[in-house]
Amino acid sequence: MSAAPGPLPPVRSSRPGPAKIAVLLSGRGSNFVALAEACARGEVPAEIVLVLSDRPDAPGLDRARERGIPARAVPRRGLGQVEQERQMIAALREAGAEWVCLAGYMRIVGPELIAAFARRILNIHPALLPAFPGLDGQQQAWEYGVKVSGCTVHLVDEGCDTGPIVVQRVIPVLEADTPETLAARILEQEHRAYAESLRLLLTRPWRLLGRRVVFDDIGGSTARPLVTSQG
Ligand code: GRF
């Protein structure tokens, strides 16, 4: 069961300055907004330096511009995946992005983009992976009749929702739930899970052991220097 909602305490990172994050989205951008607000409150030692979309009409782009965050579309149409992603990589590098957060980005990420930000691309999925990957995870879970569901933040690999898991948050599926009410309660948890994941990855030493993301001093001090993944 999830903990009671509430802001995380501010963190003081030993890292020199906030990490530079880019967000890729295709839609409304509520996860982007939640992440931007968590950064602004000091809960995540990061700043969002760029929002990119494959869709020029994505509402999330406007939500970024309202906050003064650079936002632009790189549509795939007319370019194809490889060239579109090359242009995205160029924009990400120009912005100085160190991490890429997929937040409702409705594309499978290709090998060049994954290699350009190796172990630095995150995705959020509205189900408890490895159950119900792909589209409409909330609806899939509701139709299947599971009694708990939730969300997963994971590192991105070349599969669809298959990368190593960073954080999962769990909620009960209620008798009275519809796919819509279940999705709404999962979304509340998504907004917490993304900030929690980045905060962990940016402030704790962590490693990949096989496909397990392991935080070495999960109970320890946040004042330790950032140690990035190995192996
Ligand atoms: C979220 O449910 C996320 O898990 C999924 O796409 C949705 C995006 O929502 N990958 P939003 O655009 O962040 O509001």
Side-chain angles (χ1 to χ4, degrees):
M1 189 69 55
S2 59
L8 296 164
V11 288
R12 203 179 298 282
S13 171
S14 59
R15 210 177 166 285
K20 294 185 176 192
I21 308 289
V23 174
L24 268 54
L25 52 78
S26 302
R28 65 192 164 184
S30 74
N31 276 289
F32 151 66
V33 170
L35 200 48
E37 290 178 350
C39 292
R41 288 193 299 265
E43 295 170 16
V44 179
E47 65 172 319
I48 299 178
V49 295
L50 180 65
V51 174
L52 284 180
S53 180
D54 58 323
R55 297 187 49 128
D57 60 348
L61 288 174
D62 290 330
R63 299 176 88 172
R65 292 182 187 120
E66 284 161 12
R67 287 169 171 74
I69 297 172
R72 57 178 281 212
V74 185
R76 188 166 289 186
R77 184 178 300 177
L79 295 178
Q81 178 175 0
V82 170
E83 180 54 28
Q84 182 232 12
E85 292 192 346
R86 283 182 185 160
Q87 292 190 14
M88 281 186 153
I89 292 167
L92 292 165
R93 289 193 171 134
E94 194 181 328
E98 299 163 292
W99 288 78
V100 177
C101 293
L102 310 185
Y105 183 65
M106 305 303 285
R107 306 275 185 181
I108 305 280
V109 178
E112 282 191 42
L113 182 47
I114 290 175
F117 291 88
R119 299 191 197 93
R120 297 289 180 277
I121 306 180
L122 293 169
N123 181 44
I124 186 153
H125 182 74
L128 295 175
L129 294 171
F132 313 123
L135 292 176
D136 296 325
Q138 310 97 321
Q139 172 101 21
Q140 291 185 56
W142 182 83
E143 283 177 1
Y144 195 94
V146 293
K147 299 302 185 190
V148 293
S149 192
C151 63
T152 304
V153 177
H154 62 93
L155 299 173
V156 171
D157 64 13
E158 290 183 25
C160 176
D161 302 323
T162 52
I165 290 169
V166 181
V167 161
Q168 292 186 300
R169 294 185 72 85
V170 181
I171 60 164
V173 180
L174 307 176
E175 300 291 334
D177 266 331
T178 63
E180 291 75 26
T181 60
L182 179 61
R185 281 186 297 111
I186 289 173
L187 190 62
E188 287 174 15
Q189 299 306 317
E190 292 184 44
H191 294 165
R192 295 169 57 83
Y194 229 146
E196 192 181 340
S197 301
L198 261 181
R199 174 188 169 99
L200 280 168
L201 292 167
L202 293 173
T203 60
R204 306 284 184 163
W206 64 276
R207 292 174 291 152
L208 267 181
L209 289 181
R211 53 164 296 121
R212 292 186 307 124
V213 176
V214 177
F215 293 95
D216 285 330
D217 72 339
I218 196 74
S221 162
T222 57
R224 290 187 48 178
L226 176 73
V227 176
T228 53
S229 63
Q230 300 150 15

